[in-house]
Amino acid sequence: MVASMALFAVEDALIKAAAQGVPMSQILVIFGGGGALLFAALAKAQGLALFPTEARAPAVRLRVLFEVFGRLFYFLALALTPLSSATVILQATPLVVVGTAAVVFGESVGWRRWLAIGIGLAGVVVIIRPGGESFSALSLLAVAGMLGFAGRDLASRAAPAGLSTILLGLYGFLTVIAAGGMYAVYEQRAFVWPEGPSGLALISAIGVGVFAYTALMKAMRIGEVSAVTPFRYSRLLFGVALGVFAFGETIDGATWVGCGLIVLSGLFILMRGRAAQRA
């Protein structure tokens, strides 16, 4: 899980670097296409049908919509806002998943966990500081991306259990292509040939992204979920470090406070969930 989070942070940094010289719509299309080809090859190597009957389930279609929404806005956040702040805001995804699962799936969430969810979301507000002098509307891109990923994770819970994670990875990268195509209509920028540092960063992001997703699936399948899930927050450390050392970003006090609220709330929710399972 730690390796996966480190690789995802590197992927984010490479996408941000590629955006310096390549239009974001083109990054989405190339990144999605490269990842889809790799996952399709893995699926074929294992003898899997690429589009089985289960792939047409309503939950899978809903997952695709959320994936398009999440990928598009999070990639835009990587390009237009500090990597460190986008990474921190993304850590609120589990809080939204737990709260929404209680409403949609009827999962039991006591008042302590609801309080923790509220505190964690307050941490997001502290980071973006609406109404303050340092507020930037662009920071809402990361919030929108985070909400899209939370919806994707919830839809994944409802997806047919027999659908391979490799196929879910394939569909995830295909949705990135769709997101890029839709954004190209809005962006109205001519595609360019990726070359130099931007081209190298984009190609590297594809390979790193596939390895990151594979490591994540290994962790979730082999390890006990309640034991490995807390290590998702290691992505924050890697993302902040890359933002500071690779892009010269500075972390102010409010961001550290918001970061602490999000992480502590998330860890508390995980511990309460583990205690509830034992009971």
Side-chain angles (χ1 to χ4, degrees):
M1 180 62 80
V2 174
S4 172
M5 294 302 103
L7 290 169
F8 274 126
V10 172
E11 174 198 298
D12 290 348
L14 290 169
I15 291 295
K16 185 174 183 64
Q20 305 302 313
V22 181
M24 179 51 64
S25 57
Q26 185 174 346
I27 290 175
L28 287 162
V29 171
I30 295 176
F31 180 79
L37 285 173
L38 289 174
F39 271 110
L42 287 172
K44 282 299 185 181
Q46 295 189 16
L48 299 174
L50 297 185
F51 299 99
T53 304
E54 294 89 340
R56 295 193 291 271
V60 178
R61 297 177 184 178
L62 188 61
R63 184 183 187 276
V64 167
L65 292 177
F66 278 119
E67 182 94 48
V68 168
F69 188 86
R71 289 281 191 174
L72 175 58
F73 283 102
Y74 186 64
F75 272 39
L76 287 173
L78 290 177
L80 301 174
T81 67
L83 173 63
S84 52
S85 62
T87 302
V88 172
I89 291 172
L90 185 66
Q91 305 314 303
T93 303
L95 304 177
V96 177
V97 170
V98 171
T100 309
V103 177
V104 176
F105 298 119
E107 295 185 7
S108 178
V109 176
W111 69 269
R112 293 180 183 85
R113 280 193 280 177
W114 277 117
L115 179 61
I117 291 170
I119 292 173
L121 295 180
V124 176
V125 176
V126 169
I127 293 169
I128 63 177
R129 281 160 280 184
E133 292 182 0
S134 60
F135 170 72
S136 170
L138 292 175
S139 61
L140 297 178
L141 292 170
V143 176
M146 179 268 292
L147 293 175
F149 287 142
R152 177 200 63 186
D153 291 350
L154 286 165
S156 296
R157 292 191 182 195
L163 200 59
S164 168
T165 54
I166 290 179
L167 293 180
L168 289 177
L170 169 62
Y171 305 153
F173 275 97
L174 287 175
T175 61
V176 178
I177 300 175
M182 289 186 293
Y183 190 63
V185 176
Y186 168 80
E187 193 177 31
Q188 293 292 307
R189 288 182 62 185
F191 276 25
V192 300
W193 181 258
E195 57 185 13
S198 294
L200 180 61
L202 182 53
I203 294 172
S204 300
I206 296 171
V208 170
V210 170
F211 277 114
Y213 191 90
T214 303
L216 175 63
M217 292 301 101
K218 285 287 186 181
M220 297 303 290
R221 284 190 165 190
I222 297 173
E224 182 182 346
V225 174
S226 61
V228 300
T229 298
F231 290 96
R232 280 179 176 266
Y233 289 103
S234 61
R235 180 173 183 169
L236 188 150
L237 300 175
F238 297 116
V240 169
L242 285 168
V244 171
F245 294 109
F247 297 99
E249 299 171 3
T250 57
I251 314 300
D252 59 20
T255 299
W256 282 121
V257 170
C259 175
L261 292 174
I262 293 170
V263 173
L264 291 176
S265 299
L267 292 176
F268 176 81
I269 289 171
L270 288 168
M271 288 188 294
R272 291 295 302 176
R274 188 183 301 182
Q277 287 177 347
R278 292 197 193 101

mmCIF file of all heavy atoms in Angstrom, residues 67-116:
data_model
loop_
_atom_site.group_PDB
_atom_site.id
_atom_site.type_symbol
_atom_site.label_atom_id
_atom_site.label_comp_id
_atom_site.label_asym_id
_atom_site.label_seq_id
_atom_site.Cartn_x
_atom_site.Cartn_y
_atom_site.Cartn_z
ATOM 1 N N GLU A 67 -16.021 8.428 -12.498
ATOM 2 C CA GLU A 67 -14.598 8.389 -12.842
ATOM 3 C C GLU A 67 -14.248 9.524 -13.803
ATOM 4 O O GLU A 67 -13.207 10.190 -13.650
ATOM 5 C CB GLU A 67 -14.240 7.053 -13.484
ATOM 6 C CG GLU A 67 -12.776 6.883 -13.829
ATOM 7 C CD GLU A 67 -11.971 6.194 -12.752
ATOM 8 O OE1 GLU A 67 -12.412 5.154 -12.257
ATOM 9 O OE2 GLU A 67 -10.886 6.703 -12.412
ATOM 10 N N VAL A 68 -15.096 9.754 -14.797
ATOM 11 C CA VAL A 68 -14.870 10.856 -15.736
ATOM 12 C C VAL A 68 -14.816 12.181 -14.974
ATOM 13 O O VAL A 68 -13.905 13.010 -15.165
ATOM 14 C CB VAL A 68 -15.991 10.897 -16.801
ATOM 15 C CG1 VAL A 68 -15.919 12.203 -17.594
ATOM 16 C CG2 VAL A 68 -15.884 9.715 -17.739
ATOM 17 N N PHE A 69 -15.781 12.381 -14.093
ATOM 18 C CA PHE A 69 -15.866 13.621 -13.317
ATOM 19 C C PHE A 69 -14.638 13.790 -12.431
ATOM 20 O O PHE A 69 -14.000 14.848 -12.408
ATOM 21 C CB PHE A 69 -17.148 13.572 -12.464
ATOM 22 C CG PHE A 69 -17.455 14.861 -11.755
ATOM 23 C CD1 PHE A 69 -18.164 15.868 -12.380
ATOM 24 C CD2 PHE A 69 -17.042 15.054 -10.443
ATOM 25 C CE1 PHE A 69 -18.456 17.053 -11.717
ATOM 26 C CE2 PHE A 69 -17.325 16.233 -9.772
ATOM 27 C CZ PHE A 69 -18.035 17.234 -10.408
ATOM 28 N N GLY A 70 -14.292 12.725 -11.696
ATOM 29 C CA GLY A 70 -13.172 12.804 -10.771
ATOM 30 C C GLY A 70 -11.845 13.004 -11.466
ATOM 31 O O GLY A 70 -11.037 13.858 -11.071
ATOM 32 N N ARG A 71 -11.588 12.216 -12.514
ATOM 33 C CA ARG A 71 -10.306 12.313 -13.224
ATOM 34 C C ARG A 71 -10.125 13.684 -13.857
ATOM 35 O O ARG A 71 -9.041 14.282 -13.779
ATOM 36 C CB ARG A 71 -10.230 11.233 -14.300
ATOM 37 C CG ARG A 71 -10.061 9.834 -13.790
ATOM 38 C CD ARG A 71 -8.629 9.560 -13.408
ATOM 39 N NE ARG A 71 -8.396 8.140 -13.147
ATOM 40 C CZ ARG A 71 -7.206 7.620 -12.902
ATOM 41 N NH1 ARG A 71 -6.128 8.390 -12.894
ATOM 42 N NH2 ARG A 71 -7.067 6.328 -12.660
ATOM 43 N N LEU A 72 -11.161 14.183 -14.512
ATOM 44 C CA LEU A 72 -11.044 15.466 -15.207
ATOM 45 C C LEU A 72 -10.694 16.584 -14.242
ATOM 46 O O LEU A 72 -9.724 17.330 -14.451
ATOM 47 C CB LEU A 72 -12.347 15.781 -15.937
ATOM 48 C CG LEU A 72 -12.431 17.157 -16.611
ATOM 49 C CD1 LEU A 72 -11.310 17.332 -17.622
ATOM 50 C CD2 LEU A 72 -13.786 17.350 -17.287
ATOM 51 N N PHE A 73 -11.460 16.702 -13.162
ATOM 52 C CA PHE A 73 -11.247 17.824 -12.260
ATOM 53 C C PHE A 73 -9.979 17.664 -11.424
ATOM 54 O O PHE A 73 -9.310 18.657 -11.113
ATOM 55 C CB PHE A 73 -12.474 18.013 -11.361
ATOM 56 C CG PHE A 73 -13.620 18.666 -12.068
ATOM 57 C CD1 PHE A 73 -14.702 17.921 -12.510
ATOM 58 C CD2 PHE A 73 -13.619 20.024 -12.315
ATOM 59 C CE1 PHE A 73 -15.750 18.514 -13.182
ATOM 60 C CE2 PHE A 73 -14.665 20.636 -12.988
ATOM 61 C CZ PHE A 73 -15.736 19.882 -13.426
ATOM 62 N N TYR A 74 -9.614 16.421 -11.079
ATOM 63 C CA TYR A 74 -8.388 16.252 -10.308
ATOM 64 C C TYR A 74 -7.158 16.538 -11.176
ATOM 65 O O TYR A 74 -6.193 17.156 -10.717
ATOM 66 C CB TYR A 74 -8.297 14.852 -9.713
ATOM 67 C CG TYR A 74 -7.109 14.691 -8.792
ATOM 68 C CD1 TYR A 74 -7.030 15.426 -7.612
ATOM 69 C CD2 TYR A 74 -6.061 13.839 -9.106
ATOM 70 C CE1 TYR A 74 -5.934 15.313 -6.767
ATOM 71 C CE2 TYR A 74 -4.969 13.710 -8.258
ATOM 72 C CZ TYR A 74 -4.908 14.449 -7.093
ATOM 73 O OH TYR A 74 -3.816 14.332 -6.266
ATOM 74 N N PHE A 75 -7.181 16.119 -12.436
ATOM 75 C CA PHE A 75 -6.070 16.423 -13.334
ATOM 76 C C PHE A 75 -5.943 17.925 -13.540
ATOM 77 O O PHE A 75 -4.835 18.469 -13.606
ATOM 78 C CB PHE A 75 -6.256 15.713 -14.671
ATOM 79 C CG PHE A 75 -5.681 14.321 -14.706
ATOM 80 C CD1 PHE A 75 -5.791 13.478 -13.609
ATOM 81 C CD2 PHE A 75 -5.044 13.831 -15.833
ATOM 82 C CE1 PHE A 75 -5.269 12.196 -13.627
ATOM 83 C CE2 PHE A 75 -4.515 12.542 -15.867
ATOM 84 C CZ PHE A 75 -4.628 11.728 -14.761
ATOM 85 N N LEU A 76 -7.074 18.613 -13.653
ATOM 86 C CA LEU A 76 -7.024 20.068 -13.786
ATOM 87 C C LEU A 76 -6.449 20.708 -12.523
ATOM 88 O O LEU A 76 -5.689 21.676 -12.595
ATOM 89 C CB LEU A 76 -8.429 20.622 -14.061
ATOM 90 C CG LEU A 76 -8.988 20.362 -15.462
ATOM 91 C CD1 LEU A 76 -10.446 20.801 -15.544
ATOM 92 C CD2 LEU A 76 -8.164 21.077 -16.524
ATOM 93 N N ALA A 77 -6.810 20.140 -11.367
ATOM 94 C CA ALA A 77 -6.260 20.648 -10.109
ATOM 95 C C ALA A 77 -4.746 20.463 -10.065
ATOM 96 O O ALA A 77 -4.014 21.345 -9.595
ATOM 97 C CB ALA A 77 -6.914 19.942 -8.916
ATOM 98 N N LEU A 78 -4.267 19.316 -10.564
ATOM 99 C CA LEU A 78 -2.822 19.077 -10.587
ATOM 100 C C LEU A 78 -2.117 20.104 -11.467
ATOM 101 O O LEU A 78 -1.025 20.567 -11.143
ATOM 102 C CB LEU A 78 -2.534 17.666 -11.112
ATOM 103 C CG LEU A 78 -2.924 16.498 -10.208
ATOM 104 C CD1 LEU A 78 -2.647 15.182 -10.915
ATOM 105 C CD2 LEU A 78 -2.170 16.552 -8.885
ATOM 106 N N ALA A 79 -2.744 20.454 -12.580
ATOM 107 C CA ALA A 79 -2.109 21.384 -13.521
ATOM 108 C C ALA A 79 -2.147 22.824 -13.031
ATOM 109 O O ALA A 79 -1.202 23.586 -13.264
ATOM 110 C CB ALA A 79 -2.785 21.279 -14.884
ATOM 111 N N LEU A 80 -3.230 23.216 -12.335
ATOM 112 C CA LEU A 80 -3.463 24.632 -12.059
ATOM 113 C C LEU A 80 -3.286 25.036 -10.601
ATOM 114 O O LEU A 80 -3.297 26.234 -10.295
ATOM 115 C CB LEU A 80 -4.886 25.010 -12.515
ATOM 116 C CG LEU A 80 -5.186 24.774 -14.005
ATOM 117 C CD1 LEU A 80 -6.648 25.046 -14.295
ATOM 118 C CD2 LEU A 80 -4.284 25.635 -14.874
ATOM 119 N N THR A 81 -3.145 24.073 -9.692
ATOM 120 C CA THR A 81 -2.997 24.390 -8.269
ATOM 121 C C THR A 81 -1.774 23.659 -7.713
ATOM 122 O O THR A 81 -1.252 22.741 -8.357
ATOM 123 C CB THR A 81 -4.248 23.985 -7.467
ATOM 124 O OG1 THR A 81 -4.374 22.552 -7.457
ATOM 125 C CG2 THR A 81 -5.505 24.592 -8.080
ATOM 126 N N PRO A 82 -1.306 24.034 -6.527
ATOM 127 C CA PRO A 82 -0.149 23.343 -5.936
ATOM 128 C C PRO A 82 -0.420 21.850 -5.749
ATOM 129 O O PRO A 82 -1.511 21.455 -5.332
ATOM 130 C CB PRO A 82 0.034 24.048 -4.593
ATOM 131 C CG PRO A 82 -0.550 25.412 -4.797
ATOM 132 C CD PRO A 82 -1.712 25.201 -5.720
ATOM 133 N N LEU A 83 0.567 21.042 -6.051
ATOM 134 C CA LEU A 83 0.452 19.594 -5.893
ATOM 135 C C LEU A 83 0.157 19.225 -4.451
ATOM 136 O O LEU A 83 -0.654 18.334 -4.185
ATOM 137 C CB LEU A 83 1.752 18.922 -6.348
ATOM 138 C CG LEU A 83 1.890 17.415 -6.093
ATOM 139 C CD1 LEU A 83 0.839 16.636 -6.863
ATOM 140 C CD2 LEU A 83 3.295 16.944 -6.476
ATOM 141 N N SER A 84 0.789 19.919 -3.511
ATOM 142 C CA SER A 84 0.616 19.584 -2.099
ATOM 143 C C SER A 84 -0.822 19.777 -1.646
ATOM 144 O O SER A 84 -1.393 18.910 -0.972
ATOM 145 C CB SER A 84 1.558 20.428 -1.236
ATOM 146 O OG SER A 84 1.423 21.804 -1.537
ATOM 147 N N SER A 85 -1.461 20.891 -2.020
ATOM 148 C CA SER A 85 -2.829 21.147 -1.576
ATOM 149 C C SER A 85 -3.815 20.194 -2.242
ATOM 150 O O SER A 85 -4.765 19.714 -1.608
ATOM 151 C CB SER A 85 -3.226 22.602 -1.861
ATOM 152 O OG SER A 85 -3.207 22.876 -3.249
ATOM 153 N N ALA A 86 -3.606 19.883 -3.527
ATOM 154 C CA ALA A 86 -4.482 18.931 -4.212
ATOM 155 C C ALA A 86 -4.391 17.555 -3.555
ATOM 156 O O ALA A 86 -5.400 16.864 -3.371
ATOM 157 C CB ALA A 86 -4.108 18.834 -5.688
ATOM 158 N N THR A 87 -3.169 17.144 -3.179
ATOM 159 C CA THR A 87 -2.979 15.854 -2.530
ATOM 160 C C THR A 87 -3.669 15.809 -1.180
ATOM 161 O O THR A 87 -4.316 14.814 -0.825
ATOM 162 C CB THR A 87 -1.475 15.566 -2.340
ATOM 163 O OG1 THR A 87 -0.817 15.589 -3.606
ATOM 164 C CG2 THR A 87 -1.257 14.205 -1.702
ATOM 165 N N VAL A 88 -3.552 16.890 -0.408
ATOM 166 C CA VAL A 88 -4.170 16.930 0.919
ATOM 167 C C VAL A 88 -5.683 16.834 0.810
ATOM 168 O O VAL A 88 -6.336 16.075 1.535
ATOM 169 C CB VAL A 88 -3.757 18.212 1.667
ATOM 170 C CG1 VAL A 88 -4.558 18.355 2.955
ATOM 171 C CG2 VAL A 88 -2.269 18.184 1.988
ATOM 172 N N ILE A 89 -6.274 17.611 -0.100
ATOM 173 C CA ILE A 89 -7.735 17.598 -0.259
ATOM 174 C C ILE A 89 -8.225 16.222 -0.685
ATOM 175 O O ILE A 89 -9.280 15.755 -0.251
ATOM 176 C CB ILE A 89 -8.162 18.676 -1.273
ATOM 177 C CG1 ILE A 89 -7.922 20.074 -0.673
ATOM 178 C CG2 ILE A 89 -9.625 18.519 -1.678
ATOM 179 C CD1 ILE A 89 -8.131 21.212 -1.641
ATOM 180 N N LEU A 90 -7.436 15.527 -1.504
ATOM 181 C CA LEU A 90 -7.825 14.198 -1.965
ATOM 182 C C LEU A 90 -7.973 13.223 -0.796
ATOM 183 O O LEU A 90 -8.759 12.275 -0.876
ATOM 184 C CB LEU A 90 -6.789 13.672 -2.956
ATOM 185 C CG LEU A 90 -7.111 12.325 -3.625
ATOM 186 C CD1 LEU A 90 -8.332 12.464 -4.536
ATOM 187 C CD2 LEU A 90 -5.917 11.831 -4.428
ATOM 188 N N GLN A 91 -7.258 13.460 0.308
ATOM 189 C CA GLN A 91 -7.318 12.546 1.446
ATOM 190 C C GLN A 91 -8.668 12.567 2.148
ATOM 191 O O GLN A 91 -8.935 11.725 3.018
ATOM 192 C CB GLN A 91 -6.210 12.884 2.453
ATOM 193 C CG GLN A 91 -4.810 12.898 1.881
ATOM 194 C CD GLN A 91 -4.518 11.697 1.000
ATOM 195 O OE1 GLN A 91 -4.632 10.563 1.432
ATOM 196 N NE2 GLN A 91 -4.122 11.959 -0.238
ATOM 197 N N ALA A 92 -9.527 13.503 1.802
ATOM 198 C CA ALA A 92 -10.865 13.542 2.389
ATOM 199 C C ALA A 92 -11.817 12.561 1.721
ATOM 200 O O ALA A 92 -12.952 12.388 2.190
ATOM 201 C CB ALA A 92 -11.439 14.955 2.295
ATOM 202 N N THR A 93 -11.371 11.899 0.656
ATOM 203 C CA THR A 93 -12.240 10.959 -0.058
ATOM 204 C C THR A 93 -12.852 9.899 0.859
ATOM 205 O O THR A 93 -14.071 9.661 0.805
ATOM 206 C CB THR A 93 -11.465 10.274 -1.206
ATOM 207 O OG1 THR A 93 -10.951 11.263 -2.087
ATOM 208 C CG2 THR A 93 -12.379 9.338 -1.985
ATOM 209 N N PRO A 94 -12.069 9.213 1.738
ATOM 210 C CA PRO A 94 -12.682 8.195 2.607
ATOM 211 C C PRO A 94 -13.764 8.750 3.523
ATOM 212 O O PRO A 94 -14.725 8.040 3.846
ATOM 213 C CB PRO A 94 -11.483 7.664 3.418
ATOM 214 C CG PRO A 94 -10.287 7.984 2.592
ATOM 215 C CD PRO A 94 -10.609 9.274 1.914
ATOM 216 N N LEU A 95 -13.620 10.008 3.950
ATOM 217 C CA LEU A 95 -14.633 10.611 4.814
ATOM 218 C C LEU A 95 -15.967 10.713 4.076
ATOM 219 O O LEU A 95 -17.025 10.383 4.620
ATOM 220 C CB LEU A 95 -14.181 12.000 5.268
ATOM 221 C CG LEU A 95 -12.829 12.111 5.980
ATOM 222 C CD1 LEU A 95 -12.517 13.568 6.276
ATOM 223 C CD2 LEU A 95 -12.827 11.294 7.255
ATOM 224 N N VAL A 96 -15.902 11.162 2.834
ATOM 225 C CA VAL A 96 -17.121 11.290 2.028
ATOM 226 C C VAL A 96 -17.709 9.912 1.730
ATOM 227 O O VAL A 96 -18.930 9.722 1.758
ATOM 228 C CB VAL A 96 -16.820 12.053 0.721
ATOM 229 C CG1 VAL A 96 -18.065 12.125 -0.157
ATOM 230 C CG2 VAL A 96 -16.303 13.453 1.029
ATOM 231 N N VAL A 97 -16.844 8.938 1.480
ATOM 232 C CA VAL A 97 -17.310 7.574 1.194
ATOM 233 C C VAL A 97 -18.073 7.006 2.389
ATOM 234 O O VAL A 97 -19.170 6.454 2.241
ATOM 235 C CB VAL A 97 -16.128 6.654 0.828
ATOM 236 C CG1 VAL A 97 -16.583 5.189 0.776
ATOM 237 C CG2 VAL A 97 -15.542 7.055 -0.522
ATOM 238 N N VAL A 98 -17.509 7.145 3.588
ATOM 239 C CA VAL A 98 -18.159 6.597 4.785
ATOM 240 C C VAL A 98 -19.501 7.282 5.031
ATOM 241 O O VAL A 98 -20.515 6.620 5.290
ATOM 242 C CB VAL A 98 -17.243 6.760 6.020
ATOM 243 C CG1 VAL A 98 -17.995 6.402 7.296
ATOM 244 C CG2 VAL A 98 -16.018 5.877 5.882
ATOM 245 N N GLY A 99 -19.523 8.616 4.947
ATOM 246 C CA GLY A 99 -20.765 9.335 5.185
ATOM 247 C C GLY A 99 -21.843 9.014 4.165
ATOM 248 O O GLY A 99 -23.012 8.806 4.511
ATOM 249 N N THR A 100 -21.463 8.961 2.889
ATOM 250 C CA THR A 100 -22.441 8.671 1.836
ATOM 251 C C THR A 100 -22.905 7.223 1.894
ATOM 252 O O THR A 100 -24.074 6.921 1.621
ATOM 253 C CB THR A 100 -21.836 8.972 0.451
ATOM 254 O OG1 THR A 100 -21.284 10.287 0.450
ATOM 255 C CG2 THR A 100 -22.907 8.884 -0.629
ATOM 256 N N ALA A 101 -22.007 6.292 2.259
ATOM 257 C CA ALA A 101 -22.388 4.888 2.375
ATOM 258 C C ALA A 101 -23.451 4.700 3.447
ATOM 259 O O ALA A 101 -24.328 3.834 3.327
ATOM 260 C CB ALA A 101 -21.165 4.030 2.688
ATOM 261 N N ALA A 102 -23.387 5.513 4.502
ATOM 262 C CA ALA A 102 -24.402 5.423 5.558
ATOM 263 C C ALA A 102 -25.772 5.808 5.030
ATOM 264 O O ALA A 102 -26.793 5.228 5.419
ATOM 265 C CB ALA A 102 -24.011 6.326 6.726
ATOM 266 N N VAL A 103 -25.792 6.791 4.121
ATOM 267 C CA VAL A 103 -27.067 7.260 3.575
ATOM 268 C C VAL A 103 -27.564 6.350 2.451
ATOM 269 O O VAL A 103 -28.735 5.966 2.414
ATOM 270 C CB VAL A 103 -26.916 8.709 3.052
ATOM 271 C CG1 VAL A 103 -28.212 9.176 2.404
ATOM 272 C CG2 VAL A 103 -26.506 9.637 4.188
ATOM 273 N N VAL A 104 -26.653 5.966 1.543
ATOM 274 C CA VAL A 104 -27.051 5.210 0.348
ATOM 275 C C VAL A 104 -27.224 3.726 0.648
ATOM 276 O O VAL A 104 -28.213 3.108 0.232
ATOM 277 C CB VAL A 104 -26.013 5.415 -0.769
ATOM 278 C CG1 VAL A 104 -26.359 4.560 -1.987
ATOM 279 C CG2 VAL A 104 -25.926 6.876 -1.164
ATOM 280 N N PHE A 105 -26.266 3.137 1.380
ATOM 281 C CA PHE A 105 -26.292 1.699 1.623
ATOM 282 C C PHE A 105 -26.810 1.329 3.009
ATOM 283 O O PHE A 105 -26.878 0.151 3.352
ATOM 284 C CB PHE A 105 -24.884 1.108 1.445
ATOM 285 C CG PHE A 105 -24.329 1.265 0.060
ATOM 286 C CD1 PHE A 105 -23.169 1.983 -0.167
ATOM 287 C CD2 PHE A 105 -24.979 0.709 -1.030
ATOM 288 C CE1 PHE A 105 -22.646 2.135 -1.444
ATOM 289 C CE2 PHE A 105 -24.475 0.862 -2.315
ATOM 290 C CZ PHE A 105 -23.319 1.572 -2.527
ATOM 291 N N GLY A 106 -27.163 2.324 3.811
ATOM 292 C CA GLY A 106 -27.698 2.037 5.136
ATOM 293 C C GLY A 106 -26.669 1.491 6.109
ATOM 294 O O GLY A 106 -27.030 0.827 7.085
ATOM 295 N N GLU A 107 -25.368 1.753 5.856
ATOM 296 C CA GLU A 107 -24.338 1.266 6.765
ATOM 297 C C GLU A 107 -24.408 2.032 8.090
ATOM 298 O O GLU A 107 -24.737 3.208 8.129
ATOM 299 C CB GLU A 107 -22.952 1.418 6.137
ATOM 300 C CG GLU A 107 -22.764 0.548 4.904
ATOM 301 C CD GLU A 107 -21.335 0.611 4.365
ATOM 302 O OE1 GLU A 107 -20.479 1.222 5.037
ATOM 303 O OE2 GLU A 107 -21.095 0.042 3.295
ATOM 304 N N SER A 108 -24.113 1.327 9.170
ATOM 305 C CA SER A 108 -24.212 1.914 10.500
ATOM 306 C C SER A 108 -23.024 2.840 10.779
ATOM 307 O O SER A 108 -21.868 2.416 10.750
ATOM 308 C CB SER A 108 -24.252 0.799 11.561
ATOM 309 O OG SER A 108 -24.296 1.352 12.861
ATOM 310 N N VAL A 109 -23.327 4.098 11.051
ATOM 311 C CA VAL A 109 -22.304 5.088 11.396
ATOM 312 C C VAL A 109 -22.796 5.838 12.626
ATOM 313 O O VAL A 109 -23.783 6.565 12.564
ATOM 314 C CB VAL A 109 -22.047 6.070 10.234
ATOM 315 C CG1 VAL A 109 -21.058 7.149 10.646
ATOM 316 C CG2 VAL A 109 -21.534 5.319 9.011
ATOM 317 N N GLY A 110 -22.099 5.638 13.752
ATOM 318 C CA GLY A 110 -22.503 6.283 14.992
ATOM 319 C C GLY A 110 -22.172 7.766 15.019
ATOM 320 O O GLY A 110 -21.516 8.296 14.118
ATOM 321 N N TRP A 111 -22.612 8.425 16.103
ATOM 322 C CA TRP A 111 -22.431 9.873 16.175
ATOM 323 C C TRP A 111 -20.962 10.263 16.224
ATOM 324 O O TRP A 111 -20.591 11.334 15.741
ATOM 325 C CB TRP A 111 -23.171 10.437 17.383
ATOM 326 C CG TRP A 111 -22.594 10.046 18.721
ATOM 327 C CD1 TRP A 111 -22.927 8.975 19.478
ATOM 328 C CD2 TRP A 111 -21.580 10.754 19.451
ATOM 329 N NE1 TRP A 111 -22.188 8.940 20.632
ATOM 330 C CE2 TRP A 111 -21.365 10.032 20.657
ATOM 331 C CE3 TRP A 111 -20.834 11.914 19.217
ATOM 332 C CZ2 TRP A 111 -20.429 10.438 21.604
ATOM 333 C CZ3 TRP A 111 -19.908 12.325 20.161
ATOM 334 C CH2 TRP A 111 -19.711 11.592 21.337
ATOM 335 N N ARG A 112 -20.113 9.409 16.801
ATOM 336 C CA ARG A 112 -18.694 9.740 16.875
ATOM 337 C C ARG A 112 -18.081 9.825 15.477
ATOM 338 O O ARG A 112 -17.282 10.717 15.180
ATOM 339 C CB ARG A 112 -17.954 8.707 17.719
ATOM 340 C CG ARG A 112 -18.331 8.707 19.200
ATOM 341 C CD ARG A 112 -17.558 7.657 19.959
ATOM 342 N NE ARG A 112 -17.938 7.589 21.357
ATOM 343 C CZ ARG A 112 -18.963 6.892 21.832
ATOM 344 N NH1 ARG A 112 -19.720 6.181 20.989
ATOM 345 N NH2 ARG A 112 -19.248 6.894 23.109
ATOM 346 N N ARG A 113 -18.449 8.862 14.623
ATOM 347 C CA ARG A 113 -17.894 8.887 13.270
ATOM 348 C C ARG A 113 -18.479 10.037 12.457
ATOM 349 O O ARG A 113 -17.790 10.634 11.627
ATOM 350 C CB ARG A 113 -18.112 7.536 12.574
ATOM 351 C CG ARG A 113 -17.090 6.492 12.996
ATOM 352 C CD ARG A 113 -17.095 5.283 12.103
ATOM 353 N NE ARG A 113 -18.181 4.373 12.427
ATOM 354 C CZ ARG A 113 -18.440 3.252 11.757
ATOM 355 N NH1 ARG A 113 -17.704 2.919 10.719
ATOM 356 N NH2 ARG A 113 -19.433 2.462 12.111
ATOM 357 N N TRP A 114 -19.773 10.361 12.682
ATOM 358 C CA TRP A 114 -20.339 11.521 11.999
ATOM 359 C C TRP A 114 -19.606 12.793 12.411
ATOM 360 O O TRP A 114 -19.339 13.674 11.580
ATOM 361 C CB TRP A 114 -21.832 11.654 12.316
ATOM 362 C CG TRP A 114 -22.714 10.792 11.471
ATOM 363 C CD1 TRP A 114 -23.527 9.781 11.871
ATOM 364 C CD2 TRP A 114 -22.885 10.897 10.040
ATOM 365 N NE1 TRP A 114 -24.181 9.221 10.795
ATOM 366 C CE2 TRP A 114 -23.819 9.889 9.660
ATOM 367 C CE3 TRP A 114 -22.345 11.720 9.053
ATOM 368 C CZ2 TRP A 114 -24.204 9.692 8.344
ATOM 369 C CZ3 TRP A 114 -22.738 11.530 7.731
ATOM 370 C CH2 TRP A 114 -23.662 10.527 7.389
ATOM 371 N N LEU A 115 -19.280 12.885 13.705
ATOM 372 C CA LEU A 115 -18.538 14.047 14.187
ATOM 373 C C LEU A 115 -17.162 14.107 13.526
ATOM 374 O O LEU A 115 -16.700 15.180 13.114
ATOM 375 C CB LEU A 115 -18.398 13.980 15.710
ATOM 376 C CG LEU A 115 -17.602 15.128 16.363
ATOM 377 C CD1 LEU A 115 -18.278 16.465 16.081
ATOM 378 C CD2 LEU A 115 -17.478 14.893 17.875
ATOM 379 N N ALA A 116 -16.509 12.930 13.420
ATOM 380 C CA ALA A 116 -15.189 12.882 12.787
ATOM 381 C C ALA A 116 -15.276 13.286 11.317
ATOM 382 O O ALA A 116 -14.396 13.989 10.801
ATOM 383 C CB ALA A 116 -14.601 11.482 12.918
#
